[in-house]
Short mmCIF file of all heavy atoms in Angstrom, two decimals:
data_model
loop_
_atom_site.label_atom_id
_atom_site.label_comp_id
_atom_site.label_asym_id
_atom_site.label_seq_id
_atom_site.Cartn_x
_atom_site.Cartn_y
_atom_site.Cartn_z
N LYS A 31 277.98 271.25 194.08
CA LYS A 31 277.52 270.76 195.37
C LYS A 31 276.10 270.23 195.28
O LYS A 31 275.75 269.21 195.90
CB LYS A 31 277.59 271.86 196.42
CG LYS A 31 276.70 273.06 196.15
CD LYS A 31 276.88 274.15 197.18
CE LYS A 31 276.01 275.37 196.88
NZ LYS A 31 276.22 276.46 197.84
N TYR A 32 275.27 270.89 194.46
CA TYR A 32 273.89 270.44 194.34
C TYR A 32 273.77 269.21 193.44
O TYR A 32 272.89 268.38 193.63
CB TYR A 32 273.00 271.57 193.83
CG TYR A 32 272.74 272.65 194.85
CD1 TYR A 32 272.53 273.97 194.48
CD2 TYR A 32 272.71 272.35 196.21
CE1 TYR A 32 272.29 274.96 195.42
CE2 TYR A 32 272.47 273.33 197.17
CZ TYR A 32 272.26 274.63 196.76
OH TYR A 32 272.02 275.59 197.70
N LYS A 33 274.65 269.10 192.47
CA LYS A 33 274.67 267.88 191.67
C LYS A 33 274.96 266.67 192.55
O LYS A 33 274.30 265.64 192.47
CB LYS A 33 275.73 267.98 190.57
CG LYS A 33 275.39 268.93 189.43
CD LYS A 33 276.52 268.89 188.41
CE LYS A 33 276.28 269.88 187.27
NZ LYS A 33 277.39 269.87 186.30
N GLU A 34 275.96 266.81 193.41
CA GLU A 34 276.33 265.70 194.28
C GLU A 34 275.25 265.43 195.31
O GLU A 34 274.99 264.26 195.65
CB GLU A 34 277.68 266.00 194.94
CG GLU A 34 278.84 266.04 193.94
CD GLU A 34 280.17 266.28 194.60
OE1 GLU A 34 280.20 266.87 195.70
OE2 GLU A 34 281.20 265.89 194.03
N LEU A 35 274.62 266.47 195.83
CA LEU A 35 273.52 266.29 196.77
C LEU A 35 272.37 265.54 196.09
O LEU A 35 271.79 264.62 196.68
CB LEU A 35 273.03 267.65 197.28
CG LEU A 35 271.81 267.61 198.20
CD1 LEU A 35 272.11 266.84 199.48
CD2 LEU A 35 271.35 269.04 198.54
N ARG A 36 272.08 265.92 194.85
CA ARG A 36 270.98 265.28 194.12
C ARG A 36 271.25 263.78 193.91
O ARG A 36 270.37 262.95 194.10
CB ARG A 36 270.80 265.98 192.76
CG ARG A 36 269.52 265.58 192.05
CD ARG A 36 269.36 266.34 190.74
NE ARG A 36 269.25 267.77 190.93
CZ ARG A 36 268.14 268.40 191.34
NH1 ARG A 36 267.07 267.69 191.65
NH2 ARG A 36 268.13 269.70 191.47
N VAL A 37 272.48 263.46 193.55
CA VAL A 37 272.85 262.05 193.35
C VAL A 37 272.69 261.27 194.66
O VAL A 37 272.15 260.15 194.68
CB VAL A 37 274.29 261.94 192.83
CG1 VAL A 37 274.77 260.49 192.87
CG2 VAL A 37 274.37 262.49 191.41
N ALA A 38 273.14 261.87 195.75
CA ALA A 38 273.08 261.18 197.05
C ALA A 38 271.64 260.95 197.47
O ALA A 38 271.27 259.84 197.90
CB ALA A 38 273.83 261.99 198.11
N ILE A 39 270.78 261.97 197.37
CA ILE A 39 269.38 261.83 197.78
C ILE A 39 268.68 260.76 196.95
O ILE A 39 267.95 259.92 197.47
CB ILE A 39 268.65 263.18 197.69
CG1 ILE A 39 269.16 264.14 198.77
CG2 ILE A 39 267.14 263.00 197.80
CD1 ILE A 39 268.61 265.54 198.67
N SER A 40 268.91 260.81 195.64
CA SER A 40 268.29 259.82 194.76
C SER A 40 268.74 258.41 195.11
O SER A 40 267.94 257.47 195.17
CB SER A 40 268.63 260.14 193.30
OG SER A 40 268.01 259.25 192.42
N SER A 41 270.02 258.25 195.38
CA SER A 41 270.57 256.94 195.72
C SER A 41 269.97 256.41 197.02
O SER A 41 269.56 255.25 197.10
CB SER A 41 272.09 257.03 195.83
OG SER A 41 272.64 255.83 196.34
N HIS A 42 269.91 257.27 198.04
CA HIS A 42 269.38 256.84 199.34
C HIS A 42 267.89 256.51 199.25
O HIS A 42 267.41 255.58 199.90
CB HIS A 42 269.62 257.91 200.39
CG HIS A 42 271.05 258.27 200.59
ND1 HIS A 42 272.07 257.37 200.39
CD2 HIS A 42 271.65 259.44 200.98
CE1 HIS A 42 273.23 257.96 200.64
NE2 HIS A 42 273.00 259.20 201.00
N THR A 43 267.16 257.28 198.45
CA THR A 43 265.72 257.03 198.29
C THR A 43 265.48 255.66 197.68
O THR A 43 264.62 254.89 198.14
CB THR A 43 265.08 258.12 197.41
OG1 THR A 43 265.32 259.41 197.99
CG2 THR A 43 263.58 257.91 197.27
N ARG A 44 266.25 255.33 196.65
CA ARG A 44 266.11 254.02 196.02
C ARG A 44 266.55 252.91 196.97
O ARG A 44 265.91 251.85 197.06
CB ARG A 44 266.93 253.96 194.72
CG ARG A 44 266.38 254.84 193.60
CD ARG A 44 267.03 254.47 192.27
NE ARG A 44 268.47 254.56 192.31
CZ ARG A 44 269.17 255.65 192.04
NH1 ARG A 44 268.54 256.77 191.72
NH2 ARG A 44 270.49 255.65 192.09
N PHE A 45 267.65 253.13 197.67
CA PHE A 45 268.20 252.13 198.57
C PHE A 45 267.18 251.75 199.65
O PHE A 45 267.01 250.57 199.99
CB PHE A 45 269.47 252.67 199.22
CG PHE A 45 270.38 251.63 199.79
CD1 PHE A 45 271.46 251.15 199.09
CD2 PHE A 45 270.16 251.13 201.07
CE1 PHE A 45 272.31 250.18 199.63
CE2 PHE A 45 270.99 250.17 201.62
CZ PHE A 45 272.07 249.69 200.89
N LEU A 46 266.48 252.75 200.17
CA LEU A 46 265.52 252.54 201.25
C LEU A 46 264.12 252.21 200.73
O LEU A 46 263.20 252.00 201.52
CB LEU A 46 265.46 253.78 202.14
CG LEU A 46 266.69 254.02 203.01
CD1 LEU A 46 266.69 255.43 203.57
CD2 LEU A 46 266.75 253.00 204.15
N LYS A 47 263.96 252.20 199.40
CA LYS A 47 262.69 251.87 198.76
C LYS A 47 261.57 252.80 199.25
O LYS A 47 260.45 252.36 199.58
CB LYS A 47 262.33 250.41 198.99
CG LYS A 47 263.43 249.44 198.55
CD LYS A 47 262.98 248.02 198.65
CE LYS A 47 264.15 247.04 198.47
NZ LYS A 47 264.87 247.21 197.21
N ILE A 48 261.87 254.07 199.29
CA ILE A 48 260.89 255.07 199.72
C ILE A 48 259.97 255.40 198.54
O ILE A 48 260.45 255.76 197.47
CB ILE A 48 261.60 256.35 200.21
CG1 ILE A 48 262.43 256.03 201.47
CG2 ILE A 48 260.60 257.46 200.49
CD1 ILE A 48 263.32 257.17 201.93
N PRO A 49 258.66 255.28 198.70
CA PRO A 49 257.74 255.53 197.57
C PRO A 49 257.86 256.93 196.99
O PRO A 49 257.92 257.11 195.78
CB PRO A 49 256.36 255.28 198.18
CG PRO A 49 256.61 254.40 199.35
CD PRO A 49 257.94 254.79 199.89
N GLY A 50 257.85 257.96 197.86
CA GLY A 50 257.91 259.33 197.38
C GLY A 50 258.61 260.24 198.36
O GLY A 50 258.51 260.06 199.58
N LEU A 51 259.31 261.24 197.83
CA LEU A 51 260.12 262.10 198.69
C LEU A 51 260.31 263.46 198.02
O LEU A 51 260.39 263.56 196.79
CB LEU A 51 261.47 261.42 198.93
CG LEU A 51 262.55 262.13 199.73
CD1 LEU A 51 263.38 261.10 200.51
CD2 LEU A 51 263.48 262.92 198.82
N ALA A 52 260.36 264.50 198.84
CA ALA A 52 260.68 265.85 198.36
C ALA A 52 261.71 266.46 199.28
O ALA A 52 261.65 266.28 200.50
CB ALA A 52 259.41 266.72 198.31
N ALA A 53 262.67 267.19 198.71
CA ALA A 53 263.73 267.79 199.50
C ALA A 53 264.03 269.18 198.98
O ALA A 53 263.80 269.49 197.81
CB ALA A 53 265.01 266.93 199.45
N ALA A 54 264.54 270.03 199.88
CA ALA A 54 264.89 271.39 199.48
C ALA A 54 266.03 271.91 200.35
O ALA A 54 266.21 271.47 201.49
CB ALA A 54 263.68 272.33 199.61
N VAL A 55 266.80 272.83 199.78
CA VAL A 55 267.79 273.60 200.53
C VAL A 55 267.35 275.05 200.49
O VAL A 55 266.94 275.56 199.44
CB VAL A 55 269.20 273.45 199.91
CG1 VAL A 55 270.19 274.40 200.60
CG2 VAL A 55 269.69 272.01 200.03
N VAL A 56 267.42 275.70 201.64
CA VAL A 56 267.06 277.11 201.76
C VAL A 56 268.30 277.88 202.17
O VAL A 56 268.94 277.56 203.18
CB VAL A 56 265.94 277.32 202.80
CG1 VAL A 56 265.45 278.77 202.79
CG2 VAL A 56 264.78 276.36 202.56
N ALA A 57 268.68 278.88 201.40
CA ALA A 57 269.85 279.69 201.69
C ALA A 57 269.41 281.15 201.83
O ALA A 57 268.95 281.76 200.86
CB ALA A 57 270.90 279.56 200.58
N ASP A 58 269.52 281.68 203.04
CA ASP A 58 269.15 283.07 203.32
C ASP A 58 267.75 283.38 202.81
O ASP A 58 267.50 284.42 202.18
CB ASP A 58 270.17 284.03 202.70
CG ASP A 58 270.12 285.41 203.36
OD1 ASP A 58 269.44 285.55 204.40
OD2 ASP A 58 270.73 286.35 202.82
N GLY A 59 266.83 282.48 203.07
CA GLY A 59 265.43 282.71 202.73
C GLY A 59 265.02 282.30 201.34
O GLY A 59 263.83 282.30 201.02
N LYS A 60 265.97 281.92 200.48
CA LYS A 60 265.65 281.51 199.12
C LYS A 60 265.79 280.01 198.95
O LYS A 60 266.76 279.41 199.41
CB LYS A 60 266.56 282.23 198.12
CG LYS A 60 266.40 283.74 198.11
CD LYS A 60 267.35 284.38 197.10
CE LYS A 60 267.20 285.91 197.11
NZ LYS A 60 268.13 286.54 196.14
N VAL A 61 264.81 279.41 198.30
CA VAL A 61 264.89 277.98 198.00
C VAL A 61 265.83 277.83 196.81
O VAL A 61 265.50 278.18 195.69
CB VAL A 61 263.51 277.39 197.68
CG1 VAL A 61 263.63 275.91 197.32
CG2 VAL A 61 262.57 277.56 198.88
N THR A 62 267.02 277.33 197.07
CA THR A 62 268.06 277.25 196.04
C THR A 62 268.18 275.86 195.42
O THR A 62 268.94 275.67 194.47
CB THR A 62 269.42 277.64 196.64
OG1 THR A 62 269.69 276.81 197.77
CG2 THR A 62 269.41 279.10 197.07
N PHE A 63 267.45 274.91 195.98
CA PHE A 63 267.54 273.53 195.49
C PHE A 63 266.24 272.83 195.81
O PHE A 63 265.71 272.93 196.93
CB PHE A 63 268.70 272.81 196.18
CG PHE A 63 268.75 271.32 195.96
CD1 PHE A 63 269.44 270.78 194.89
CD2 PHE A 63 268.11 270.45 196.85
CE1 PHE A 63 269.50 269.40 194.70
CE2 PHE A 63 268.17 269.07 196.67
CZ PHE A 63 268.87 268.55 195.59
N VAL A 64 265.68 272.14 194.84
CA VAL A 64 264.49 271.31 195.06
C VAL A 64 264.71 269.98 194.35
O VAL A 64 265.22 269.94 193.23
CB VAL A 64 263.21 271.98 194.50
CG1 VAL A 64 262.03 271.00 194.56
CG2 VAL A 64 262.87 273.24 195.28
N GLN A 65 264.33 268.91 195.03
CA GLN A 65 264.41 267.59 194.42
C GLN A 65 263.16 266.80 194.79
O GLN A 65 262.73 266.80 195.95
CB GLN A 65 265.65 266.84 194.90
CG GLN A 65 265.83 265.46 194.26
CD GLN A 65 267.20 264.88 194.52
OE1 GLN A 65 268.06 265.56 195.06
NE2 GLN A 65 267.41 263.64 194.13
N THR A 66 262.57 266.14 193.81
CA THR A 66 261.44 265.26 194.07
C THR A 66 261.77 263.88 193.53
O THR A 66 262.42 263.75 192.49
CB THR A 66 260.16 265.79 193.39
OG1 THR A 66 260.40 265.98 191.99
CG2 THR A 66 259.74 267.12 194.01
#
Side-chain angles (χ1 to χ4, degrees):
K31 63 183 179 183
Y32 287 150
K33 288 182 183 178
E34 293 182 335
L35 176 62
R36 192 178 297 283
V37 169
I39 290 174
S40 182
S41 172
H42 301 330
T43 303
R44 291 194 304 271
F45 199 97
L46 289 166
K47 306 186 191 303
I48 295 172
L51 177 147
V55 173
V56 187
D58 200 10
K60 296 180 181 179
V61 178
T62 56
F63 169 90
V64 172
Q65 183 168 352
T66 56

